[in-house]
Amino acid sequence: MTQVTRLISPGPIADAFTRSSAFIAGIIGPVGSGKTMAMLSKGLRNGALQGGRRDKNGVIRRKARFGVIRESYPNLEANTLKSWFNIVPEHYGKFGWKAPYVHTFQQILGTDNGRLDGRPTDVLDMEVEFRAIGDKSVEEVTRGWEVNCVGVDEADLQPADLISFLSGRVGRFSNLDASQVREPQILLSLNMPYMDNWAYKMLVERELGDLDPERDPELAAALEGRPLMEAFIQPGGRDPAAENLHNLRGGRGYYAIQVAVNKHKPGYVDRMVDNKPVPMQHGQPVNPGFSFTDHVRDDLEYDPRRTLTIGVDQGLFAAAAFTQRTAMGQLRTLAEAVMMKEDGKTLRKIGPTAFGKMVRAVLDQHFPDVDETSVRVVADPAAFASDEREDSELDWILPFQKALGIKVRRAKTNSAAIRNAAIHKAQDERGGYAIHRRCKHLIRAHLGGYHYRKSDTGEGETKGHLEIADTIYTHVADAEQYAALEGEGVVSDIRGKQRRRAPVKVDGSYNELGGY
């Protein structure tokens, strides 16, 4: 039985993007404008454009592979895949929930009578592969990829060199022969990027270096008459011509609420609502999903039935964060240990023994009845791989551990991408994150004290992650991240790996055939 999904077009700009034959085609729009759906639909359309061959029954058989890439598997699952399943449902064909996620299915492009119940005369065998960059380099993620077309969701958040590597990966797939490949493309969907972002320079300012088909006959011949790049900028959400309002709850009211809530963030309204470019402001927060109203609470209590995890960032400005995971895996930050000077603006240097005693004091003050066998202390893994380090950082761990009186273990990873993703995932989920009001320093970190360096924000990094400024808030934020990595499946979920599950054994006298 053939399943039909009918989609209502977001609007004329999205339609023009869908019809574009450019090698690089980008769609830029406000939040909720349908740009991700347009990009995914265009990838499916590209598959239908591939050449085919008639089989012995006279049916044209086409084969295509569409690749989709984002910065992390949690964001793929929470956003991109939700949009994709509105186009091709998960149960249609076969979908594999093992990273990289692959969806294979057939699409009937034509029948002998033009009706759904007619005999198929044109069939597409489609494979869509979803990959995430995670903590790998762009080269590692794209190596060996052979696709007809690739879509980059939230492209401005990805590294600039991703486009370079993808340019050699599209147009390489055909189980028929290379002559059947049609219109290899790189598709980009994104909100309006900051002016110093690579995506703004490429799509809005049309900076492609010396790549000009009009002055390069060889490039023009390779493009076969297609444009090298086209950008499609949708109207803002408050514009009379705003797109996709018919698919938004409340129509234009969807944007009115965002404007009202974000009056204190004019840059957000300009980019995310009005689709206008703005200069990059200094100190963009690393954790934009943090909300004081939603996440800061007075009623958080220690649960003696759950492990208390203390994350530690060692060094001269050491800091610690005390966290727990609920039975549902939600992250709760209950206390912090930070040595501030009296001015409240600078950190005080502290040695390992003194800091060990300080963490012990916080433990005794806020968790007086804790069973130390249920306390887990984790620190930066780099501190343990220091036998050959000139600074002998291992000497910090040993006296700190002695003063604390609890064994200190390596955190699961030092990857900034994985650590940040653990916090982002918790803060993005409803009820996934909460912090006690007494953690004043860490709250300030989440409100913007923990931010990216301005000079590096516009430059794509090989691993897709921006450099974070070293401030008085960096250390406690790092400490919380090390603690947040603890918990069942946290790291494997971020990396898109399946969780390991122990086999279930039933010890009983019941016999399925004979009873007890």
Side-chain angles (χ1 to χ4, degrees):
M1 182 176 180
T2 302
Q3 180 165 345
V4 178
T5 301
R6 298 191 182 279
L7 301 175
I8 302 176
S9 167
I13 302 299
D15 287 345
F17 163 75
T18 302
R19 294 191 299 269
S20 172
S21 63
F23 181 73
I24 300 175
I27 181 168
I28 304 173
V31 60
S33 65
K35 55 192 177 294
T36 297
M37 291 284 286
M39 181 270 288
L40 295 172
S41 298
K42 182 169 175 57
L44 188 59
R45 180 179 183 272
N46 182 274
L49 293 176
Q50 301 307 306
R53 289 180 176 174
R54 291 189 182 275
D55 63 15
K56 61 182 180 180
N57 297 317
V59 178
I60 299 176
R61 296 283 180 177
R62 308 174 193 267
K63 293 189 176 183
R65 180 181 293 150
F66 175 38
V68 181
I69 194 165
R70 275 202 71 159
E71 68 281 2
S72 71
Y73 281 102
N75 283 340
L76 265 177
E77 296 172 13
N79 302 292
T80 312
L81 281 178
K82 285 185 177 179
S83 296
W84 173 250
F85 290 147
N86 285 328
I87 300 173
V88 181
E90 178 185 350
H91 61 267
Y92 188 66
K94 181 180 179 181
F95 188 90
W97 283 102
K98 181 179 179 181
Y101 309 143
V102 178
H103 198 173
T104 56
F105 56 92
Q106 280 192 341
Q107 184 181 20
I108 298 175
L109 304 179
T111 61
D112 55 4
N113 61 5
R115 296 168 53 88
L116 294 178
D117 57 355
R119 183 183 69 87
T121 58
D122 195 343
V123 178
L124 168 65
D125 290 313
M126 188 79 178
E127 180 180 304
V128 184
E129 183 174 325
F130 299 86
R131 293 188 179 187
I133 298 174
D135 58 346
K136 296 182 179 180
S137 70
V138 168
E139 183 176 3
E140 289 174 319
V141 173
T142 59
R143 183 177 297 156
W145 217 3
E146 295 186 356
V147 291
N148 299 102
C149 175
V150 66
V152 184
D153 200 15
E154 302 292 353
D156 60 316
L157 303 181
Q158 315 311 328
D161 55 356
L162 177 61
I163 306 302
S164 300
F165 282 99
L166 291 179
S167 66
R169 297 300 171 189
V170 296
R172 295 183 59 180
F173 174 78
S174 177
N175 281 354
L176 303 174
D177 67 63
S179 67
Q180 302 298 327
V181 175
R182 304 283 190 271
E183 296 189 3
Q185 288 185 298
I186 298 174
L187 313 178
L188 310 176
S189 66
L190 61 156
N191 299 116
M192 180 60 71
Y194 288 105
M195 289 180 182
D196 53 357
N197 186 278
W198 67 267
Y200 178 86
K201 296 174 183 177
M202 173 183 285
L203 296 174
V204 181
E205 296 183 340
R206 307 297 174 90
E207 285 189 10
L208 283 174
D210 297 327
L211 299 177
D212 186 351
E214 294 184 1
R215 293 183 296 177
D216 189 337
E218 187 174 350
L219 176 60
L223 290 169
E224 299 176 330
R226 297 190 295 146
L228 177 61
M229 187 200 70
E230 287 185 333
F232 300 84
I233 301 177
Q234 295 175 292
R238 295 188 288 183
D239 191 285
E243 299 196 341
N244 206 44
L245 294 178
H246 50 278
N247 287 323
L248 297 176
R249 178 178 174 84
R252 203 173 296 276
Y254 171 83
Y255 292 107
I257 293 175
Q258 291 189 59
V259 172
V261 172
N262 293 284
K263 282 185 176 180
H264 63 296
K265 299 166 64 177
Y268 176 93
V269 174
D270 286 341
R271 290 181 57 236
M272 298 300 188
V273 176
D274 295 329
N275 206 31
K276 296 178 180 179
V278 297
M280 181 69 189
Q281 299 175 11
H282 177 69
Q284 291 299 316
V286 176
N287 301 322
F290 180 80
S291 166
F292 190 96
T293 303
D294 294 337
H295 294 139
V296 178
R297 287 163 49 177
D298 292 315
D299 59 349
L300 291 183
E301 295 183 357
Y302 165 67
D303 184 350
R305 299 168 299 178
R306 312 292 300 176
T307 299
L308 178 68
T309 302
I310 306 175
V312 177
D313 186 51
Q314 74 286 345
L316 292 176
F317 302 106
F322 298 70
T323 73
Q324 279 192 309
R325 289 275 181 182
T326 69
M328 299 298 293
Q330 300 162 321
L331 183 63
R332 302 290 182 256
T333 300
L334 307 175
E336 65 181 7
V338 181
M339 179 62 76
M340 296 290 297
K341 290 185 177 180
E342 289 75 9
D343 60 8
K345 297 180 180 179
T346 52
L347 295 175
R348 184 186 299 277
K349 294 181 180 179
I350 186 170
T353 299
F355 187 66
K357 293 179 179 179
M358 179 182 180
V359 173
R360 184 78 217 189
V362 174
L363 186 66
D364 293 341
Q365 177 184 358
H366 297 297
F367 315 97
D369 300 323
V370 67
D371 180 357
E372 293 189 7
T373 61
S374 63
V375 177
R376 183 174 180 85
V377 185
V378 292
D380 182 353
F384 296 86
S386 55
D387 292 340
E388 299 178 0
R389 291 171 59 107
E390 293 181 2
D391 58 4
S392 300
E393 195 168 2
L394 187 60
D395 291 340
W396 193 98
I397 290 290
L398 294 177
F400 167 74
Q401 179 176 265
K402 182 177 180 180
L404 176 61
I406 303 175
K407 181 177 177 59
V408 181
R409 296 176 169 83
R410 293 175 176 82
K412 292 186 176 180
T413 179
N414 193 28
S415 164
I418 299 297
R419 292 191 281 122
N420 284 329
I423 299 297
H424 294 168
K425 185 174 185 294
Q427 293 181 351
D428 288 344
E429 294 176 352
R430 184 176 180 84
Y433 178 86
I435 183 171
H436 199 285
R437 189 179 295 271
R438 61 174 164 249
C439 302
K440 297 179 180 179
H441 195 70
L442 188 50
I443 290 171
R444 290 182 180 179
H446 289 312
L447 287 173
Y450 186 55
H451 59 255
Y452 294 113
R453 290 183 183 273
K454 183 189 178 206
S455 60
D456 295 317
T457 304
E459 306 295 332
E461 297 289 338
T462 300
K463 293 189 177 182
H465 307 292
L466 312 175
E467 185 175 347
I468 296 171
D470 187 10
T471 70
I472 62 172
Y473 303 101
T474 305
H475 309 283
V476 71
D478 288 349
E480 185 187 42
Q481 290 173 358
Y482 292 128
L485 296 173
E486 301 297 314
E488 184 180 359
V490 173
V491 174
S492 60
D493 285 351
I494 293 172
R495 286 175 169 160
K497 296 181 179 180
Q498 289 184 317
R499 298 187 184 186
R500 294 182 179 180
R501 291 182 172 85
V504 177
K505 295 182 180 180
V506 178
D507 185 9
S509 58
Y510 180 75
N511 184 307
E512 292 83 352
L513 300 177
Y516 289 100

